[in-house]
Amino acid sequence: MLGAVLCDIDGVLRTWDDAERWRPVLEVALRPDRLRPAVTGAITDEEWRAAVRAELPAAQRALADAWAGPAGIGRVDPELVRLLREVRRKVPVVLVSNGTTRLEADLAGLGIADLADAVVNSARVKAAKPEPAIYRIAARRAGVAAARCLFVDDSLENVQAARRAGMTGVHYQGTGPLREMLVPLMQMAAIRGDRSARHSEEGSTA
């Protein structure tokens, strides 16, 4: 029985229409030796961006400055936002991201700070996908057993790690296929919720 939906942020909920613009910066920023300290909280977002900027040729540093500002925040998928709000009326929703210490500010800037019941930011919990610990933390934040969590991510490696953690892993292929999968599960969750409520009422009047 579905108990919670755990959803990735970047590449799923958030995308960048102008990603090609940032390519010279991202080739440095997303290199494992640069990215991992930032997403595991070993360094702050500001330290990460400063290190990336310093490594770039002088001609590209203005681009790095723009990437670090509002222009680099990306955009959210409004259809997926609506779907997650629907889901949240039935079961808890937790966002799970390999993020930096700026993630929470980005969510506020994108207008989705209140979208989920909790946000598991790797930089805050000191564990990043696909490490097992972040999946255990996410299930605890959702308040349900891992076996009742549905985990959504655009990275197959992260999905496979979720499955090893006992979750139902879904490789994200777009909002449409995800909705088709979630609607019957939400209906079952709603029925279970109604039954639980009735049982509680019956118990209180017994």
Side-chain angles (χ1 to χ4, degrees):
M1 185 72 69
L2 178 67
V5 171
L6 315 181
C7 186
D8 179 34
I9 297 178
D10 293 339
V12 177
L13 183 59
R14 172 167 67 169
T15 58
W16 287 263
D17 292 331
D18 54 354
E20 189 61 31
R21 174 188 178 189
W22 311 119
R23 181 177 294 277
V25 179
L26 296 179
E27 285 177 351
V28 176
L30 301 184
R31 205 173 62 215
D33 64 306
R34 281 285 176 222
L35 183 61
R36 182 166 177 79
V39 300
T40 55
I43 61 174
T44 66
D45 181 88
E46 292 80 7
E47 291 169 330
W48 172 56
R49 292 175 191 272
V52 170
R53 186 183 189 280
E55 189 172 331
L56 289 167
Q60 294 177 343
R61 289 177 183 172
L63 183 63
D65 293 338
W67 165 70
I73 197 173
R75 68 172 186 87
V76 295
D77 179 343
E79 186 179 354
L80 183 54
V81 169
R82 286 192 293 271
L83 176 59
L84 291 178
R85 292 197 190 282
E86 291 176 30
V87 170
R88 194 179 175 197
R89 289 198 288 268
K90 307 297 184 183
V91 297
V93 170
V94 176
L95 301 181
V96 187
S97 178
N98 282 358
T100 71
T101 55
R102 199 179 88 165
L103 177 64
E104 292 82 4
D106 279 0
L107 296 179
L110 291 165
I112 55 170
D114 63 345
L115 179 62
D117 295 277
V119 175
V120 177
N121 178 357
S122 63
R124 306 295 184 189
V125 301
K126 312 298 185 185
K129 297 175 291 184
E131 297 170 13
I134 195 168
Y135 299 94
R136 294 193 296 267
I137 293 168
R140 287 200 300 269
R141 297 277 178 90
V144 300
R148 296 183 57 215
C149 292
L150 186 146
F151 176 85
V152 182
D153 202 299
D154 64 320
S155 163
L156 183 57
E157 181 183 18
N158 294 342
V159 169
Q160 291 171 337
R163 290 170 180 163
R164 289 194 295 271
M167 299 177 177
T168 298
V170 176
H171 190 204
Y172 185 70
Q173 302 291 331
T175 305
L178 182 60
R179 177 180 287 277
E180 290 179 6
M181 173 180 293
L182 283 175
V183 166
L185 293 175
M186 286 192 295
Q187 290 172 343
M188 293 172 64
I191 292 170
R192 183 179 184 281
D194 290 344
R195 287 176 177 170
S196 297
R198 284 200 298 271
H199 289 169
S200 296
E201 291 171 1
E202 291 168 0
S204 65
T205 57

